[in-house]
């Protein structure tokens, strides 16, 4: 079951530069998307979300872009900081399953000082 | 900031034994969940719970699994007869509302090792 895909298992970025994490989905019923960040030995922490009625949502250094026609979303972190180094999970939920999230496999972001 | 707390952080058990994983959701949250992550794999939904009953469950959540909210604060996941493939990180989560705009808050997980 690959309804939510994060094709890059890892990404390295220099401190101060932009980090772009990508996510693709296949289920047309998904209409709400979230990004979670996870540090080792901790649970996922909610970062930012976007509804399918929008194409962009911004919160400080974090911006999520949604391209519904391409079934693609991305998370931009500007500027990247070493403390941003973590695994980032894309997650989606759909009208037919309002209570659960479907997660991608995650992308390990490493921000180099 | 209120947190979801899970105990124990690590549980080792022998195959065939019963385990109970415990969670204390955030106090004003009404919706509760269990997810798991097998090493190297995705975070997978197990079950959601609202108003003292299961509202959704995945195909993973078979008859060996059960959940309970025994009092006003705890939320437990029981595995009756553990199998080797149950070894995973189990995450409890809660949310204040059931609508999709209400994000899940996760605990730090219980690492279950079945030997």
């Amino acid at each position: 079951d690959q309804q939510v895909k994060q094709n890059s298992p890892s990404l390295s970025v220099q401190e101060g530069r932009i980090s772009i994490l990508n996510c693709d989905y296949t289920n047309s019923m998904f209409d709400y998307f979230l990004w979670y960040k996870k540090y080792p030995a901790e649970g996922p922490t909610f970062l930012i979300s976007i509804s399918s009625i929008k194409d962009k949502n911004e919160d400080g250094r974090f911006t999520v872009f949604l391209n519904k026609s391409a079934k693609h979303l991305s998370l931009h972190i500007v500027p990247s900081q070493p403390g941003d180094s973590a695994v980032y999970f894309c997650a989606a939920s759909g009208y037919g399953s309002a209570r659960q999230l479907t997660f991608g496999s995650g992308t390990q972001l490493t921000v180099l000082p | 900031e209120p947190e979801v707390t899970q105990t124990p952080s690590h549980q080792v058990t022998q195959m065939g034994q019963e385990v109970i994983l415990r969670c204390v959701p955030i106090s004003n949250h009404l919706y509760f969940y269990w997810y798991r992550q097998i090493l190297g794999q995705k975070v997978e939904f197990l079950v959601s719970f609202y108003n003292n009953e299961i509202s959704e469950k995945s195909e993973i959540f078979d008859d060996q699994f059960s959940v309970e909210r025994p009092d006003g604060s705890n939320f437990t996941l029981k595995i009756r007869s553990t199998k080797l493939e149950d070894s995973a990180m189990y995450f409890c989560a809660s949310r204040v509302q059931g609508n999709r705009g209400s994000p899940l808050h996760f605990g730090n997980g219980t690492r279950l090792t079945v030997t």
Side-chain angles (χ1 to χ4, degrees), chain A residues 29-55:
Chain A
M29 296 296 288
F30 288 148
D31 64 352
Y32 204 86
F33 306 90
L34 305 91
W35 285 93
Y36 280 82
K37 178 170 75 171
K38 185 181 180 304
Y39 294 116
E42 293 185 12
T45 303
F46 170 72
L47 200 54
I48 193 169
S49 62
I50 188 166
S51 163
S52 61
I53 62 172
K54 294 186 173 182
D55 54 19

Side-chain angles (χ1 to χ4, degrees), chain B residues 31-105:
Chain B
Y31 296 81
F32 314 113
Y33 305 79
W34 285 100
Y35 284 77
R36 79 172 185 189
Q37 186 180 25
I38 295 171
L39 187 63
Q41 297 187 24
K42 293 185 179 187
V43 176
E44 300 173 292
F45 169 75
L46 293 178
V47 65
S48 59
F49 190 87
Y50 169 70
N51 201 24
N52 283 320
E53 61 182 28
I54 291 173
S55 43
E56 273 187 300
K57 60 182 180 179
S58 71
E59 61 278 3
I60 302 168
F61 195 88
D62 61 22
D63 292 343
Q64 292 300 309
F65 291 86
S66 62
V67 289
E68 193 178 30
R69 188 153 163 82
D71 53 44
S73 59
N74 290 285
F75 179 51
T76 62
L77 174 69
K78 182 193 291 186
I79 309 174
R80 276 185 247 292
S81 177
T82 50
K83 303 188 283 284
L84 294 176
E85 53 265 38
D86 293 328
S87 295
M89 197 75 174
Y90 287 80
F91 293 106
C92 174
S94 68
R95 74 203 310 183
V96 61
Q97 297 175 354
N99 62 294
R100 294 186 296 283
S102 173
L104 268 67
H105 295 258

Side-chain angles (χ1 to χ4, degrees), chain A residues 5-58:
Chain A
K5 291 184 268 193
Q6 294 177 257
N7 291 319
S8 299
S10 64
L11 174 69
S12 289
V13 170
Q14 209 69 36
E15 181 179 5
R17 305 295 292 267
I18 185 171
S19 296
I20 300 177
L21 298 106
N22 293 303
C23 178
D24 297 292
Y25 62 97
T26 56
N27 190 337
S28 300
M29 296 296 288
F30 288 148
D31 64 352
Y32 204 86
F33 306 90
L34 305 91
W35 285 93
Y36 280 82
K37 178 170 75 171
K38 185 181 180 304
Y39 294 116
E42 293 185 12
T45 303
F46 170 72
L47 200 54
I48 193 169
S49 62
I50 188 166
S51 163
S52 61
I53 62 172
K54 294 186 173 182
D55 54 19
K56 177 182 173 181
N57 188 27
E58 195 170 351

Side-chain angles (χ1 to χ4, degrees), chain A residues 51-69:
Chain A
S51 163
S52 61
I53 62 172
K54 294 186 173 182
D55 54 19
K56 177 182 173 181
N57 188 27
E58 195 170 351
D59 183 1
R61 296 185 298 115
F62 302 92
T63 303
V64 56
F65 294 93
L66 175 63
N67 182 335
K68 279 197 305 183
S69 61

